[in-house]
Amino acid sequence: MATVKWGLIGASNIAREWMIGAMRETGGEVVAVMSGDAGRARAFADANGILGATDSVERLLGDFGVDAVYISSTNEKHRDQAIASARAGKHILAEKPLALSLEDAIAMRDAARQAGVVMGTNHHLRNSGAHRVMRAAIKDGLIGRPLAARVFHAVYLPENLQGWRIDNPGAGGGVVLDIAVHDADTLRFVLDDDPVEVTAMTQNSGMAGAGLADAVMTSVRFRSGLIAQTHDAFTARFAGTGFEVHGTLGSLIGRDCMSQSAKGTITLVTADGARQLPWEPANLYVRAVDAFHKAIAGEGAPAATAEDGLHSLAFGLAVLESAGNGRAVVIRESF
Ligand code: NDP
């Protein structure tokens, strides 16, 4: 497989903390970074051992021999950056939420299709061994027919991330597009089912401003009839995370597993008792980039595709609509 040359669109925390390392660990090369500010681009490049730096998307796409872009700018920028990248013939790994509207996200997917480039969405949690072992256990019938799921994803937003997420609606801030979209993707992956209807309530406890929610609870119905509940927050310091699926023959109890790190425990509880299911603790982002490199080489698909990103965005937008009007909202299922 030829070395994939990556261009970073967005001098972001997630690129620095997880993605640059994942690209290098899987044989990729990070050749340039683009930031809206030339000084920030240069400083980010120097701090992360990247040669190229620019404040122009066009130059990132044209001047550095880039094969693929990783888009981790603030959310309102994803659309135009992805479409420009597709038109330049670059493969695209885009952060969630793909965009701020379904129309924009569909336009991104369509541009990639038209250009014949690979497009993926960086939903990391489906790459966790913990969630993979849950999915396999359900497929193997270990809990019978899944009836209900519960997702606990209320965390405390670290001080260094308390920027646009809590004060900029125009950038797609707020807990719903930040965290609840991950719940939707993880539920879809573990259950192999799609959400069709949601009722939601949001909260603003004072951390977020500008009318943005810093916590949300949802009740969701899936196509199979399964019902689920989710709780996401920026404000819960000590809640811990979890993911449970309850079936006719047993329950899967995941603890501490809604994480960027490969951690957590999965316990299977049935009439025979309780036992922990072992799983392989591989880096979630390394798995994402490895699958993306393989997809570029024509082997399989990205871990989460553009369509997966459309589904999670559809869920997030339906949650916001329901929280706004107090009614159950039907979630769009096909794009
Ligand atoms: P950051 O706030 O770190 O970066 C987003 C943008 O903000 C950057 O592209 C940069 O713009 C600007 N920025 C960052 N730091 C500064 C600064 N000190 N001064 C001025 N501007 C700054 O965002 P995140 O890394 O937290 O998130 C980026 C994207 O990734 C979002 O879409 C988010 O939803 C997603 N994300 C996904 C995760 C996952 O696990 N899949 C986890 C975390 C985030 P510029 O490039 O123009 O300089």
Side-chain angles (χ1 to χ4, degrees), residues 18 21 30 41 48 112 125 157 200 225 230 234 273:
W18 292 101
V30 184
N48 293 286
L125 288 163
L157 187 66
T230 68
F234 288 157

Side-chain angles (χ1 to χ4, degrees), residues 132-218:
R132 290 181 176 199
V133 85
M134 290 180 104
R135 177 179 159 105
I138 292 169
K139 287 227 177 291
D140 289 347
L142 300 188
I143 62 165
R145 182 161 59 92
L147 300 175
R150 302 194 289 206
V151 182
F152 314 105
H153 205 173
V155 297
Y156 191 76
L157 187 66
E159 309 268 322
N160 67 318
L161 297 185
Q162 291 182 24
W164 57 269
R165 278 182 174 78
I166 58 169
D167 66 9
N168 191 347
V175 74
V176 174
L177 293 183
D178 198 47
I179 304 184
V181 293
H182 280 310
D183 299 350
D185 187 68
T186 313
L187 283 163
R188 289 185 63 245
F189 175 76
V190 169
L191 300 169
D192 203 5
D193 199 356
D194 283 323
V196 294
E197 184 181 12
V198 65
T199 304
M201 276 189 196
T202 51
Q203 179 183 54
N204 185 308
S205 67
M207 178 193 276
L212 290 171
D214 51 33
V216 60
M217 289 192 180
T218 76

Side-chain angles (χ1 to χ4, degrees), residues 180-334:
V181 293
H182 280 310
D183 299 350
D185 187 68
T186 313
L187 283 163
R188 289 185 63 245
F189 175 76
V190 169
L191 300 169
D192 203 5
D193 199 356
D194 283 323
V196 294
E197 184 181 12
V198 65
T199 304
M201 276 189 196
T202 51
Q203 179 183 54
N204 185 308
S205 67
M207 178 193 276
L212 290 171
D214 51 33
V216 60
M217 289 192 180
T218 76
S219 299
V220 195
R221 188 182 306 282
F222 279 70
R223 194 187 297 128
S224 67
L226 174 140
I227 52 174
Q229 56 184 206
T230 68
H231 176 202
D232 307 284
F234 288 157
T235 49
R237 288 179 192 268
F238 308 110
T241 69
F243 193 109
E244 300 177 353
V245 186
H246 305 282
T248 49
L249 300 176
S251 288
L252 289 162
I253 310 289
R255 286 289 176 264
D256 205 18
C257 55
M258 301 302 280
S259 170
Q260 293 181 293
S261 305
K263 63 179 191 175
T265 57
I266 305 298
T267 305
L268 171 68
V269 188
T270 66
D272 296 333
R275 68 179 167 95
Q276 272 198 20
L277 302 182
W279 55 274
E280 195 196 330
N283 181 305
L284 283 59
Y285 297 95
V286 167
R287 276 192 166 151
V289 178
D290 189 46
F292 196 82
H293 284 169
K294 289 187 173 126
I296 290 175
E299 297 165 35
T305 61
E307 273 70 26
D308 291 318
L310 288 169
H311 280 283
S312 64
L313 178 60
F315 174 83
L317 295 173
V319 167
L320 289 170
E321 186 180 336
S322 173
N325 67 18
R327 295 169 196 271
V329 172
V330 171
I331 302 166
R332 185 164 160 187
E333 288 177 76
S334 61

Side-chain angles (χ1 to χ4, degrees), residues 8-19 33-38 40-41 44 70-78 81 94-98 121-125 160-161 163-165 171-172 177-179 181-182 260 285:
L8 308 181
I9 299 184
S12 68
N13 187 66
I14 178 79
R16 181 182 55 76
E17 202 174 338
W18 292 101
M19 294 302 286
V33 58
M34 176 264 159
S35 160
D37 178 271
R40 262 183 57 71
F44 188 95
Y70 167 58
I71 300 178
S72 64
S73 50
T74 47
N75 305 319
E76 84 286 10
K77 296 185 179 138
H78 295 176
Q81 293 168 338
E95 271 303 343
K96 45 47 69 172
L98 284 183
T121 310
N122 202 28
H123 276 305
H124 60 296
L125 288 163
N160 67 318
L161 297 185
W164 57 269
R165 278 182 174 78
L177 293 183
D178 198 47
I179 304 184
V181 293
H182 280 310
Q260 293 181 293
Y285 297 95

